[in-house]
Amino acid sequence: MRPVLRDAARAVAALLALLLPLAGPALAGATWAPHCAAVALLVALAVVATTGGPGLRVAARGLWEGTVTAETGVAAAVLAALGWSAAVQAVAAVSPAGPVPVPTDPLAGPVLLPGVAAVLTVVAAAVQRTGRPPGPHGGDTRADADEVRAGLRAVADRWSALLTPPAALIAVAVTAFAAGTGTPWPAAVPAGIAVLVGACPLPLLAALPAALRAADRAGGDAVRLPVPWPGRRDPVGWTGSAGGPGLAGRVDTVALAGPDVLTGTAPGTVTVHAGRGEDPALVLRLAASVAAGARPGSDLRTAARALAAAVDGPVPDVAEADEQPGLGVSGLVAELRDPGPDGGGTTATVVAHAVLLGSPDWLAEHGIRVPPPLSVERERAVAEGRAVLVVAWDGCARAVLALPRAPPPEARPEMSELVAAGVTPVLLTPDDDGAARALAAATGLDPADPDAVRPGLDPAARAAAVAGLRVRGRTVAVAGDPTTDEAALAAADLAVELVPWPTADGRPTADSTGTGSGSGSGSGSTEHPDDAPDTRPDPVVAPAHGSERICARGGPAEVAAALLIARRARARARSYVRAAVVLAVAGVVLAVLGTPAVVVAAVPVLGALGLAARGPHRRS
């Protein structure tokens, strides 16, 4: 049976167990009352056994371990209602006087208690759902789902440990007082059960899942917060104490780490400044080939994407690729060349080159000097704020490649949103000094501030910079792509995994704003725009269960939104919990005042459903 149909069937069965003892006798006469009550009891038992089975096992395990949880409060109300109704019906069935008629006031008798138990069970199961799939990648996720529910119950468990034992004592006291004042036991015991029903922690169970769903709606397609996980750090503060902000609220510095964090990952225009006599197309092919040999997570992956997109035709394979992080990559590239019209033969030949792609200083370590014309082009590209790489093969520098490092037009206002969120942005980038400071200036950061712009950092250096910020007393959130900056994310107080900007839904790409500078007799220039769509999922996937990280899609604006949503999520969760505690106290007070259990049950049920239905609209 599909989940939706199964849920609908359980809800209908619970309502049937509640309404059948009233509707049956009213339609068919009082003689049908015992039969309708018996059917309602059987239906309620089936609902509790199937839907409430996991919760009852959790409650039993907790009591065995000497702990009181939210499931204990639900089990106390459900089992008391079912047990008393079953006992009354069993006694009536074997009584010599025959079946007991429906009480004059059925609301105060045991006949509706099975329906109350079934409704409480179904609502308790429904309000704990987060709206997220049980696992990020499919497979056997039952254990994950159990851990998620346990994490979301943490606050409810703490409050239930404070509320359920006093409620049980009050229930016993109410029952004893009613019986001592002459009330018959069939009416005195339901009065005590009403106290347990009023204290049933359904709103507490609904509080954190409702806050999580509200945060998901607020995040739209761009932000997903992690669920609380037993034994793991809680960066949002879902389960933290009521006093003070959560970790997201204490963040005062956001480190934007990695090569793509401000520009996106879409390759932009590549300008080739080729040396005299060099073929720009060959330069691009060999550079793209050796760049493809960069390790996963390398800062050269940005250049590799741009170069691969700029090549017309297939990129040749690279052999013996060797990367020096932060410096460059080398490898052997072989191509099969057909003989030309004047080739003097008909046999194709294999041409192999030892190719190096990296900084001029790294090439100098290999004995390769950049000739003056290419040095001039390199300095000009650096002054324009572009990332620059030198291509060499067979011992000679052949060309300078200028890659765009321009952010999208809205990067500056998005950075302002990050500042408005109350944090200080810091740029940690592998770009050289000129490109990094041009990028910072374009986004509104002070390029002269050494604390705001940290150029020339490889992944290890970026992680060390994050550690240094924390040593200085800052609470640091790192926003970066885990494929390039896993170390920096792991070193942060709060990690925000960035899913790159898309290119197929209207968001900007990292296109170059320059036109190249290849004029002059000594160099050739060619530009190759890239229109390859991004294939990342949209909307952003939720963090893996057990993750301590926020997932966001985009750039600074989404990082700011993630922090604000996390802060508001904690505040919303706290307010929901306070409302749930007030509802529990109100339910107990109503029960003590003599309100029947079926009426008292409306307080936790409607309160839980009301909390579950609340939440902000989706971000546009």
Side-chain angles (χ1 to χ4, degrees):
M1 186 181 296
R2 294 181 179 180
V4 174
L5 296 178
R6 183 171 59 247
D7 294 342
R10 291 171 176 172
V12 170
L15 291 176
L16 179 65
L18 183 63
L19 299 179
L20 184 62
L22 294 177
L27 296 176
T31 57
W32 282 87
H35 305 291
C36 291
V39 171
L41 177 61
L42 292 176
V43 171
L45 286 171
V47 171
V48 172
T50 56
T51 305
L56 294 175
R57 288 192 292 271
V58 171
R61 185 167 59 248
L63 289 176
W64 178 261
E65 296 172 355
T67 60
V68 175
T69 65
E71 298 290 359
T72 307
V74 176
V78 168
L79 295 181
L82 276 180
W84 179 249
S85 179
V88 169
Q89 291 194 39
V91 170
V94 300
S95 173
V100 178
V102 176
T104 305
D105 182 8
L107 295 180
V111 68
L112 297 182
L113 290 180
V116 170
V119 170
L120 293 178
T121 300
V122 170
V123 173
V127 299
Q128 294 186 65
R129 295 177 180 172
T130 65
R132 294 182 177 180
H137 304 295
D140 184 8
T141 58
R142 179 171 300 184
D144 279 353
D146 291 342
E147 292 294 322
V148 169
R149 284 192 292 269
L152 291 170
R153 283 198 305 264
V155 175
D157 288 346
R158 287 205 299 267
W159 278 102
S160 296
L162 298 175
L163 296 175
T164 300
L169 293 176
I170 293 172
V172 173
V174 168
T175 301
F177 178 80
T181 55
T183 303
W185 282 102
V189 174
I193 294 174
V195 175
L196 297 177
V197 170
C200 186
L202 296 185
L204 283 169
L205 288 172
L208 263 63
L212 179 62
R213 290 192 299 271
D216 283 349
R217 289 192 292 271
D221 293 337
V223 176
R224 287 292 181 272
L225 302 183
V227 296
W229 192 262
R232 298 285 184 89
R233 184 178 57 168
D234 178 9
V236 176
W238 303 106
T239 60
S241 59
L247 177 57
R250 298 196 303 271
V251 168
D252 54 31
T253 302
V254 171
L256 302 167
D260 303 322
V261 69
L262 291 180
T263 62
T265 60
T269 303
V270 178
T271 303
V272 180
H273 303 287
R276 186 179 300 274
E278 301 295 343
D279 179 12
L282 177 61
V283 169
L284 281 174
R285 270 202 318 276
L286 297 183
S289 175
V290 74
R295 292 190 296 267
S298 167
D299 293 331
L300 287 173
R301 285 294 181 180
T302 301
R305 286 192 298 269
L307 292 170
V311 173
D312 293 329
V315 175
D317 293 332
V318 63
E320 300 183 19
D322 181 25
E323 181 185 359
Q324 299 297 315
L327 298 175
V329 60
S330 62
L332 296 177
V333 182
E335 288 191 294
L336 184 65
R337 293 189 182 176
D338 294 328
D342 300 325
T346 60
T347 304
T349 58
V350 176
V351 179
H353 299 288
V355 184
L356 292 87
L357 176 69
S359 67
D361 293 340
W362 183 61
L363 266 64
E365 294 179 5
H366 291 77
I368 299 175
R369 183 181 65 86
V370 179
L374 292 184
S375 295
V376 171
E377 296 295 351
R378 176 184 174 276
E379 292 171 2
R380 186 180 302 170
V382 169
E384 292 175 351
R386 291 192 165 199
V388 179
L389 294 171
V390 180
V391 186
W393 64 81
D394 300 338
C396 296
R398 308 287 180 161
V400 168
L401 304 178
L403 287 76
R405 299 301 293 153
E410 51 267 34
R412 179 182 286 267
E414 288 186 351
M415 190 70 80
S416 299
E417 292 184 35
L418 195 58
V419 175
V423 296
T424 301
V426 176
L427 178 60
L428 309 178
T429 176
D431 292 314
D432 58 28
D433 189 78
R437 301 201 182 280
L439 186 61
T443 56
L445 293 175
D446 182 2
D449 185 355
D451 286 337
V453 185
R454 309 281 184 87
L457 301 181
D458 62 18
R462 294 197 289 273
V466 172
L469 290 170
R470 296 182 64 192
V471 168
R472 292 166 58 183
R474 298 192 184 185
T475 303
V476 183
V478 169
D481 188 336
T483 62
T484 58
D485 280 275
E486 177 59 36
L489 290 166
D493 293 294
L494 175 66
V496 182
E497 290 190 1
L498 287 184
V499 178
W501 268 308
T503 61
D505 61 357
R507 287 299 302 273
T509 61
D511 288 331
S512 172
T513 57
T515 59
S517 54
S519 60
S521 59
S523 67
S525 294
T526 181
E527 295 186 352
H528 297 265
D530 173 69
D531 297 320
D534 188 279
T535 58
R536 295 288 185 127
D538 192 14
V540 62
V541 297
H545 291 334
S547 171
E548 300 172 358
R549 298 179 177 182
I550 296 174
C551 285
R553 183 183 187 89
E558 286 72 23
V559 176
L563 293 176
L564 293 176
I565 290 170
R567 295 167 185 173
R568 291 168 184 166
R570 173 175 165 79
R572 184 178 293 111
R574 298 302 99 191
S575 67
Y576 287 3
V577 169
R578 287 192 292 269
V581 173
V582 170
L583 288 171
V585 174
V588 172
V589 171
L590 284 176
V592 171
L593 293 177
T595 308
V598 66
V599 178
V600 173
V603 175
V605 168
L606 296 180
L609 295 178
L611 289 178
R614 295 189 63 186
H617 294 293
R618 193 180 185 89
R619 286 180 76 236
S620 59

